[in-house]
Amino acid sequence: MLSFPPSPSVRIFVARESVDMRKGIDGLAGLVIDTIDQDPQSGHVFVFFNKHRNRVKSLVWDGSGYWLLVKRLEHGRFSIFDRVGASRTSFELSNTDLALLLDGVDLRGARRRASHDELNARVSR
């Protein structure tokens, strides 16, 4: 059964360039191969946004077939950013970041709190 956002063990790839939202499963799977350079049947999540950043499609293989998840915002835009250079065609997000992004949170100003392990490491120094 598919859960969305996926578990932390699943990698999430976001295409850097906008995509024609008329593309279906086969077209997006082709983009995964040609643009993101991944196997669309890997079980990872592949995320595509349109030019206006008000629509998103996610492609996921669950072992027996593809899931195509679509979200269209009635107002506003998705605040997409990435942390890598312009030479790559995609970037990765954590499942938490994807959930926040799809929920309308602008991650550019967000700061992640230190984890329990990081706090313990600081104290023990």
Side-chain angles (χ1 to χ4, degrees), residues 7-56:
S7 70
S9 63
V10 174
R11 294 172 71 187
I12 301 167
F13 295 92
V14 180
R16 182 178 306 273
E17 296 294 321
S18 61
V19 170
D20 181 349
M21 287 290 122
R22 294 174 292 184
K23 287 191 182 296
I25 290 172
D26 295 330
L28 294 175
L31 286 176
V32 170
I33 294 167
D34 296 339
T35 304
I36 300 177
D37 197 27
Q38 292 288 324
D39 177 6
Q41 295 182 352
S42 63
H44 301 311
V45 176
F46 302 98
V47 180
F48 303 90
F49 291 92
N50 69 337
K51 180 173 69 170
H52 300 292
R53 301 290 195 226
N54 64 348
R55 294 180 185 192
V56 59

Side-chain angles (χ1 to χ4, degrees), residues 9-121:
S9 63
V10 174
R11 294 172 71 187
I12 301 167
F13 295 92
V14 180
R16 182 178 306 273
E17 296 294 321
S18 61
V19 170
D20 181 349
M21 287 290 122
R22 294 174 292 184
K23 287 191 182 296
I25 290 172
D26 295 330
L28 294 175
L31 286 176
V32 170
I33 294 167
D34 296 339
T35 304
I36 300 177
D37 197 27
Q38 292 288 324
D39 177 6
Q41 295 182 352
S42 63
H44 301 311
V45 176
F46 302 98
V47 180
F48 303 90
F49 291 92
N50 69 337
K51 180 173 69 170
H52 300 292
R53 301 290 195 226
N54 64 348
R55 294 180 185 192
V56 59
K57 284 188 175 183
S58 299
L59 184 68
V60 184
W61 174 262
D62 73 356
S64 64
Y66 286 105
W67 284 88
L68 183 61
L69 297 100
V70 180
K71 183 169 185 176
R72 179 185 72 195
L73 295 178
E74 294 300 319
H75 304 284
R77 299 164 49 123
F78 292 106
S79 297
I80 303 161
F81 78 103
D82 56 51
R83 299 179 182 113
V84 296
S87 63
R88 295 182 51 194
T89 57
S90 67
F91 58 95
E92 284 191 62
L93 282 180
S94 70
N95 65 337
T96 304
D97 287 347
L98 178 62
L100 291 170
L101 176 68
L102 295 177
D103 210 25
V105 175
D106 186 347
L107 299 175
R108 286 178 289 193
R111 285 190 352 208
R112 192 174 304 281
R113 283 190 250 174
S115 70
H116 181 71
D117 293 336
E118 291 170 333
L119 291 173
N120 284 340

